[in-house]
Amino acid sequence: MAVRKVLRYGDPILRTPSKDVHKVSKKIQELVTDLLETMYAQNGVGLAAPQIGENYRVFVIDVSTGDEPLNPIVFINPKIIKKSGAVRSHEGCLSFPEAYTDVKRYANVMIKAMDRKGKSFVLEAKDGCLLARAIQHEFDHLDGILFIDHSINRFETESILESLEFPPIEEDKLIEEKELEEQINDAESAKED
Ligand code: ZN
């Protein structure tokens, strides 16, 4: 059990789709422990297995803050079973130290997964809360998708990456999300009126 090295953007493992877990073996439990230790050591809100070089469908999230007790949630073989609404989300990623940009996310998600004991559970997160956004961010990692692929303004993201000496955006990975984009724009212009 250990704090592991977090791979940085540019590493091909981050773009590799991850495999399902067939059995929550001792090896997978150790992977979960390493993910949690590494996430806490880096003050992250979430961490996915490929970020520490393991292409398995496993991620962890903890959205507790300040004096609140730790509240780790472990997701093994997750499936997003419902998603709706849209929200602008200002995000970073432990694989992109210091880089933050605005991305498109669903506001509400329902996810089914197994916990670290292999027990299945369903969790709903709503209203664009941090948990709802973190679930989508971490889930994407399992499919080799990164938060910058959801950029609201790709030119802004491009210049942030450049200023931090990261590789550029991969244009073919950018995800067209017209519906999300329209909903976010409508909500924001309604606020201004
Ligand atoms: Zn990330």
Side-chain angles (χ1 to χ4, degrees):
M1 266 118 300
V3 171
R4 306 267 292 264
K5 188 180 150 222
V6 177
L7 304 181
R8 286 172 68 103
Y9 177 49
D11 192 302
I13 289 178
L14 293 175
R15 287 301 193 184
T16 306
S18 292
K19 302 181 285 281
D20 269 329
V21 170
H22 289 300
K23 184 170 171 256
V24 185
S25 59
K26 192 155 179 260
K27 184 184 153 192
I28 293 296
Q29 289 184 351
E30 281 173 9
L31 170 63
V32 167
T33 303
D34 285 0
L35 280 169
L36 288 168
E37 287 185 8
T38 307
M39 175 180 74
Y40 289 129
Q42 304 272 343
N43 290 316
V45 167
L47 189 64
Q51 292 181 277
I52 58 169
E54 308 262 9
N55 281 121
Y56 287 105
R57 299 188 75 84
V58 179
F59 66 78
V60 298
I61 288 179
D62 189 335
V63 292
S64 63
T65 53
D67 294 337
E68 290 171 21
L70 294 181
N71 182 27
I73 314 176
V74 175
F75 301 78
I76 299 173
N77 293 351
K79 301 242 177 329
I80 291 183
I81 51 182
K82 247 204 284 189
K83 49 191 183 183
S84 65
V87 68
R88 175 190 289 264
S89 176
H90 191 63
E91 294 184 16
C93 176
L94 292 178
S95 296
F96 295 73
E98 290 175 58
Y100 295 87
T101 196
D102 284 359
V103 301
K104 295 160 270 182
R105 294 291 183 197
Y106 292 94
N108 314 298
V109 286
M110 193 186 273
I111 188 167
K112 189 178 175 208
M114 282 190 296
D115 66 16
R116 61 188 309 172
K117 290 181 181 146
K119 194 168 166 275
S120 129
F121 66 96
V122 173
L123 181 67
E124 193 172 16
K126 294 180 138 182
D127 300 324
C129 66
L130 180 56
L131 178 60
R133 293 176 288 127
I135 285 171
Q136 294 169 74
H137 178 121
E138 301 309 331
F139 182 86
D140 272 352
H141 273 298
L142 309 184
D143 292 321
I145 298 170
L146 301 171
F147 76 117
I148 56 169
D149 304 340
H150 295 280
S151 289
I152 286 182
N153 183 335
R154 56 167 286 196
F155 302 104
E156 200 176 293
T157 302
E158 195 91 79
S159 76
I160 290 161
L161 292 179
E162 198 187 344
S163 71
L164 294 166
E165 294 177 6
F166 282 107
I169 273 190
E170 292 160 89
E171 277 185 54
D172 57 324
K173 307 280 189 202
L174 287 170
I175 303 169
E176 266 237 60
E177 294 163 306
K178 278 264 175 293
E179 230 175 273
L180 286 186
E181 202 172 297
E182 278 165 20
Q183 283 187 58
I184 292 167
N185 287 341
D186 288 352
E188 288 176 0
S189 56
K191 242 184 246 167
E192 281 159 22
D193 291 345

